[in-house]
Structures are given as C-alpha cells and as structure tokens.
Amino acid sequence: MKRMKTSAEWFRSTVFKEEAIRPGGARSAEPVPPMIRTARSLENGRYQSWQSREAVFMKQGKLLAGYEDDYDFQGDVRCYYPTYQALTNRELRGYFSWRTKLRKGDIRKAPLPFAFLYIYELINQIGVAEPAEGYRLLESFRDAYGQLDERVLPYLQRWMEDYIAYYGLDAGLLAGSPQMLREQSISLLEQIEGQGDAQILSAVKLLSSGWLQRSKYYSAYPDDMDKVIVRVLRRISAHYAARCKKGMVEQYFGSMAQMQLRPFDTAVFCDPLKRKDYEYVLDRQWVYRCQNGFWSVSRRAAPPGSAGKLDALLKTIDSVMRRQTGYRYPVQARMNLKWVLRIIEEEVQSFLAGKKAAEEKKVVIRYGQLSRIRQDAAFIQERLLTEEEADMPEEPPLPQPPPGPEEPVSPKEPAGEEGALLSPAEYRLLQSLLYGRDDSWVQKEGYMLSVLADGINEKLYDIFQDAVLDELSRPVKDYMEDLKEMVHP
C-alpha cells in the first residue's frame, strides 16, 4: 500500500505537471539561434522516446549552461514550475539574455519564472563547477535579487537548507538563518536550568510572535517584565519536569519526529547525486536521512494548538503585571491554566514586594534642602558668637553649591477609562466598526468618517504606538481584541 502511494505521488509530481502551451506561430515568427534549435531537439517528440520533464531539463541545461544571448524581450511570462521546454523561443531567448546580464553583475527584475529557472539551474549544478560555488551563487542571488522581488525568498531559503544537506556542505553556512536560530533557541530553553537570564530572554524574544514588541507596558517597564518572564519560565519548566512526561519545550514546541521529505520540494529537481543511503546532521535536532532513495528528516513536530502558545504566556504575564501595578491600560489574559496563573501571580507579587523593599532601603539625598540647612546652621552660629568673636573680622563664607532640584516625583496619570480619551462620536464610531453595526449615522449627523477616524488614531496613538484604523477606516486586525477591551458593545 505504501509503495503504491509513493508511486502515485511520484507520478503526480514528476509526470503529470502543468506545462505552458507554446504556439507554433511563435517559433516560426523569427529566426532561432542554432543552440536553441539543438536544445529543442532534445525534447520529447516524434523521434524521441518518452523522457521525464526532469531528464529533459537536465539535458537541455547542460547543453545551454554557457549560452549567452542579447535578445530584447518585452512582456511577462506566466508559467508554474518553469523549464526550458515550457517556454516559447522568444521567452527562452529573453531568459538567457537576462541570465547573461545577471552573470556579469547587471541584476534586473525579471518575470518570476526567470528567477525560479535560474534557481533550478543552481540546485541541479547546471553552470557551476562544484556545490560550494552553487551555494555562493544562491546566497548572492538571495541577497541581491530578493530586494527586487521578495516572492522568491520563502522558497529559496528552504531550498538552501536542503542544498547544504543534500550536497553535504558545512552546517555553519546556516548559522544565521532564521530556522537555525529558532532551533538553537529551542535547544537553549530545553536546558533552561543552566542558562543565564540574558540567554533565556534572547531565545524567548526570537521564538515569540511579537506581543512584547506591541506591548505598551513592556516598552515602559522592560526590565521589570524581563525579570518576571525569566522567573515564570524557570518555574513552569521545573513544574513540567517534575510532574509531566513531556517537558516545557515539548509542550510548547513539539517532540522530535521523523517525517518524510522530498528535497527541494516544489522545485524542478533532477537528483543529480542519486543518493541511496545517506545521513546528514545539520543540528542535533535536525537530521536528514536517505534510505534506499527515500528521504526523511528528524525535526520537532509542533503539537496541535501550540502555535502562539509562548506569546499567549507572555501576554498573560503582561496582563497580571498591569493589574497588580495598577497600570492604566489593562489587557486580557490569554491563558486559563490555573497552575500557570498561580505561578505568574506568585512571581509577580514576589518581584514587586522585593522591588518595594529595595526602594525603601535606599538613602535619598534631597539636595534641594541643603541650602535651607546651611541657612539654619549659619543663624544658630551667629547667635552663639561671643562679643569678641563678633568684633573679629568675619571670614568669607564658604562657596556653596547651587541648590539642586527637588527629588522628582513621578506624575500620576489621570484616572479614568480609555474611552474618556475619545469624544462621544469617536467612541460610537469604534463601537460600530468593532461590533458590525450600521455607521450611516455618521453622515446623517453631519460628521465625516475620515475626520473621526483620524481623531481616533491620533488620540490612541500613545497607547498602541500605531494607527488602530487603516486607510479605509477599518480596525487593524492586530488590535481588534485590545480595542474591544476598551470599547464595550
């Protein structure tokens, strides 16, 4: 059954592929260079036995590896999984003209199939002497062309990981890649007991999906939040280790699992090395294996519902910190596990109590009162002077430092709900937008929708550090829940 399934997948991915239909007239409209005519003769045709698309691509690619052209191609190309065979003669000459300039350092934006065709050449070692050279060209293309058309980046980054494993290159080439940094951060949290606070926080910020970057409370009190986050994570990790079969990292990011893999999935890949039995350890938690030609990879498999779990924990810590410090803008907690909430409550209370005790022990020098103290001392001294001392010439007074400012006192933020920041019309408009109500009243009552929206964005900017309504006066998705906590139905 497994073999039949594998054969069906191979047939679907290798044989049954969408190909562009090349109109016959396009070929005969203008002369075709001899090299392209020769390459066309390698395609499946009347005098050719059937060949897979990959086989034809490899033959044509090796023939045309050094071909150059200067054809002035104008227009767009629409083609999925592009190959030489899938392009018309004009499109093919346009591609080779673009590639000629690219190889000479003249990088220009081109139709998307041209970019993918160039990547397919490199991952199949077409036009490169060795795998290390191919990787350097892929890296250079990613850095330069990715700025012109970022649509290639998600695919190219994944294929570069496969390239290193398939061709056995140094794993250090991926040292700064997003996926490698993620794996290293997960490994660090797996050994949290022996890690410093700075390392833990660095891993958390890389793995979380962005709540800390959006939080107004965190931007105001980052040091306090950082200390509580580390303390909470250490306790949660210890709880899972003592009472559960799976540790914190497995609960949040999944367990190691071996999954089937097609190297360079969704690319036109010809498997030039034809590996049979092979293993490549990219990281201790990231291993590629090939057995009898079938590939697999050992990676963490995220458990159901784990997406955003760490971010939900961070938002819950933020929520408890706001509540216990009386912060003006509350947010709703995202987690409801009682033992997790208990740990957060205890750690926040412990931290705040320790901070208060430390502040009470501080010796505060009020420089603004020194001048008054000196004046009182001088007056007393004058009253105690004897007559003889009074007749003696007075010594010039000692220079006194300028009076310092009084110890600053943190101004208290005005009390009241967030809704008080908005006018009644602005508050009503937010109600209409957030809860799907009719907003025709805006025009009927003589208001302009854009003016009300600008007022809302301006007044709530200090809270969100961003516009909460977009150009069409619709609530920004990322802030919907927070706005609903501020504006009731």
Side-chain angles (χ1 to χ4, degrees):
M1 188 70 179
K2 182 178 179 181
R3 180 174 296 180
M4 292 177 62
K5 182 179 179 182
T6 303
S7 299
E9 290 177 350
W10 175 87
F11 183 87
R12 178 182 58 81
S13 62
T14 305
V15 180
F16 186 73
K17 287 288 186 180
E18 293 184 0
E19 296 283 357
I21 299 176
R22 299 188 304 274
R27 287 195 179 189
S28 59
E30 54 189 47
V32 179
M35 284 291 289
I36 292 183
R37 283 204 307 269
T38 304
R40 291 294 190 198
S41 70
L42 300 175
E43 299 174 3
N44 292 322
R46 182 175 180 182
Y47 301 106
Q48 286 283 355
S49 59
W50 181 87
Q51 308 167 92
S52 69
R53 180 185 59 166
E54 285 75 14
V56 174
F57 177 78
M58 201 67 174
K59 288 180 181 180
Q60 291 180 317
K62 289 180 178 179
L63 176 65
L64 300 168
Y67 177 69
E68 295 184 352
D69 208 329
D70 60 354
Y71 184 74
D72 183 18
F73 174 76
Q74 301 293 330
D76 196 11
V77 179
R78 297 185 180 276
C79 178
Y80 295 102
Y81 308 103
T83 61
Y84 311 113
Q85 185 177 2
L87 302 182
T88 66
N89 290 333
R90 291 180 61 255
E91 293 169 346
L92 200 55
R93 294 194 65 187
Y95 166 71
F96 286 117
S97 299
W98 172 79
R99 189 184 74 174
T100 300
K101 294 183 178 69
L102 175 67
R103 288 178 173 180
K104 294 178 180 180
D106 184 3
I107 303 173
R108 304 182 183 184
K109 187 174 181 180
L112 190 60
F114 286 8
F116 280 112
L117 189 55
Y118 177 71
I119 296 171
Y120 297 165
E121 289 179 345
L122 295 181
I123 66 178
N124 287 289
Q125 301 297 280
I126 294 173
V128 296
E130 58 180 1
E133 179 189 355
Y135 186 82
R136 287 193 297 270
L137 291 173
L138 285 170
E139 195 172 39
S140 175
F141 188 71
R142 177 198 64 192
D143 296 340
Y145 194 80
Q147 298 181 24
L148 302 177
D149 191 344
E150 61 183 12
R151 291 176 293 176
V152 303
L153 294 178
Y155 302 93
L156 184 52
Q157 187 61 50
R158 187 174 74 248
W159 293 337
M160 288 174 70
E161 295 168 2
D162 289 349
Y163 189 99
I164 290 175
Y166 181 82
Y167 289 106
L169 301 183
D170 182 6
L173 292 170
L174 283 178
S177 72
Q179 188 59 43
M180 182 60 77
L181 291 175
R182 175 180 171 80
E183 296 293 338
Q184 292 171 348
S185 297
I186 292 175
S187 296
L188 187 146
L189 292 183
E190 199 170 32
Q191 305 168 10
I192 192 171
E193 295 81 6
Q195 305 296 332
D197 291 0
Q199 288 75 20
I200 295 172
L201 286 168
S202 177
V204 167
K205 291 174 182 179
L206 188 143
L207 293 169
S208 67
S209 59
W211 171 253
L212 295 183
Q213 286 75 20
R214 302 194 305 270
S215 170
K216 182 177 177 64
Y217 184 85
Y218 183 80
S219 65
Y221 306 102
D223 293 339
D224 292 357
M225 277 285 290
D226 285 347
K227 290 182 175 64
V228 174
I229 287 170
V230 171
R231 292 166 67 161
V232 169
L233 284 175
R234 290 189 189 278
R235 280 196 61 184
I236 289 178
S237 177
H239 177 95
Y240 276 120
R243 304 190 181 187
C244 305
K245 293 182 179 179
K246 294 183 179 181
M248 180 182 71
V249 166
E250 289 184 276
Q251 298 281 352
Y252 279 60
F253 305 104
S255 306
M256 293 296 295
Q258 187 167 340
M259 298 166 282
Q260 289 186 346
L261 170 75
R262 288 186 66 236
F264 307 100
D265 187 32
T266 70
V268 177
F269 179 59
C270 307
D271 194 13
L273 299 183
K274 300 293 188 294
R275 293 192 182 277
K276 295 299 180 183
D277 294 290
Y278 173 72
E279 180 176 283
Y280 182 85
V281 180
L282 195 58
D283 180 79
R284 69 184 185 88
Q285 296 182 343
W286 191 355
V287 182
Y288 288 83
R289 293 184 180 87
C290 179
Q291 295 177 326
N292 296 322
F294 292 94
W295 285 82
S296 63
V297 61
S298 294
R299 296 281 293 275
R300 287 194 179 276
S306 65
K309 196 171 182 179
L310 177 61
D311 216 42
L313 174 65
L314 297 177
K315 186 171 183 180
T316 302
I317 295 174
D318 191 332
S319 173
V320 175
M321 286 286 285
R322 293 182 189 221
R323 174 166 48 79
Q324 294 206 15
T325 57
Y327 190 65
R328 182 181 179 186
Y329 308 113
V331 295
Q332 187 174 0
R334 292 280 298 277
M335 300 190 74
N336 54 13
L337 287 175
K338 291 184 178 180
W339 67 269
V340 173
L341 292 173
R342 175 173 51 80
I343 287 177
I344 295 174
E345 294 279 357
E346 291 174 356
E347 291 301 329
V348 171
Q349 291 173 4
S350 174
F351 169 76
L352 294 177
K355 183 179 179 181
K356 181 179 180 181
E359 289 176 348
E360 290 174 351
K361 292 180 181 179
K362 289 182 180 178
V363 176
V364 180
I365 301 176
R366 301 182 181 274
Y367 292 99
Q369 296 182 6
L370 290 179
S371 177
R372 177 65 181 273
I373 294 172
R374 291 192 187 97
Q375 292 174 4
D376 292 344
F379 176 76
I380 294 173
Q381 183 181 21
E382 184 179 352
R383 296 290 300 270
L384 294 176
L385 285 176
T386 63
E387 275 188 277
E388 182 179 355
E389 291 171 331
D391 293 336
M392 295 176 64
E394 295 183 1
E395 296 181 1
L398 295 173
Q400 300 180 8
E406 292 290 332
E407 181 185 47
V409 179
S410 300
K412 293 184 178 179
E413 294 178 309
E417 296 184 354
E418 294 84 344
L421 295 173
L422 306 175
S423 68
E426 292 167 343
Y427 191 90
R428 183 181 175 188
L429 175 60
L430 269 182
Q431 285 180 316
S432 301
L433 296 175
L434 292 172
Y435 299 102
R437 297 177 184 171
D438 181 27
D439 59 1
S440 60
W441 60 269
V442 174
Q443 186 175 4
K444 292 178 181 178
E445 296 186 14
Y447 295 107
M448 291 184 65
L449 181 63
S450 60
V451 173
L452 291 179
D454 288 343
I456 292 170
N457 281 334
E458 182 179 352
K459 292 177 181 178
L460 297 186
Y461 184 83
D462 287 341
I463 300 176
F464 292 87
Q465 299 296 306
D466 196 1
V468 297
L469 301 181
D470 61 17
E471 297 82 356
L472 300 178
S473 301
R474 298 175 304 192
V476 176
K477 185 178 179 181
D478 289 345
Y479 306 128
M480 288 281 287
E481 294 301 322
D482 293 334
L483 287 171
K484 286 184 178 180
E485 293 174 12
M486 297 168 53
V487 177
H488 303 294

